[in-house]
């Protein structure tokens, strides 16, 4: 809800997106849950990940968090760490 999706954004089955902005060529994995996040171009969001709900977890992943608004920013071409 209340999100903006760029061209060639694929939101897989079961993904939940709230107040996000996705630039072009983003793939959102199955069951991913995202809130108040800006995702730049050419990013693959892993399946079943939650972004925008835990500052600690998001920082561990290397996601930028704006200190004033708590909005998460995932830069262009960002690669999520392997588990």
């Amino acid at each position: 809800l209340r999100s903006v999706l760029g061209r060639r954004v694929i939101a897989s089955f079961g993904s939940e997106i709230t107040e996000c902005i996705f630039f072009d060529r983003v793939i959102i994995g199955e069951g991913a849950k995202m809130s108040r996040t800006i995702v730049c171009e050419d990013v693959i969001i892993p399946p079943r990940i939650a972004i925008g709900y835990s500052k600690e977890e998001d920082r561990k992943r290397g996601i930028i968090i704006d200190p004033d608004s708590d909005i998460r920013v995932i830069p262009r071409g960002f690669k999520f760490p392997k588990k």
Side-chain angles (χ1 to χ4, degrees):
L1 297 172
R2 293 178 15 184
S3 296
V4 177
L5 279 64
R7 288 176 271 143
R8 291 186 277 173
V9 171
I10 298 170
S12 298
F13 179 78
S15 58
E16 295 179 28
I17 301 163
T18 306
E19 296 182 351
C20 294
I21 298 172
F22 296 93
F23 287 79
D24 299 341
R25 299 176 307 276
V26 173
I27 299 172
I28 305 159
E30 186 174 320
K33 188 174 168 184
M34 302 184 69
S35 177
R36 298 178 50 82
T37 304
I38 298 170
V39 183
C40 296
E41 298 95 341
D42 303 313
V43 174
I44 298 172
I45 305 296
R48 293 169 293 286
I49 195 170
I51 300 171
Y53 298 93
S54 167
K55 282 186 184 181
E56 183 179 323
E57 286 299 313
D58 291 344
R59 278 195 187 103
K60 282 183 195 174
R61 295 181 181 117
I63 295 170
I64 300 162
I65 302 173
D66 179 76
D68 296 323
S69 65
D70 275 346
I71 291 174
R72 278 43 169 185
V73 179
I74 301 174
R76 182 180 192 194
F78 183 85
K79 304 287 187 215
F80 283 84
K82 304 272 186 204
K83 284 196 169 196

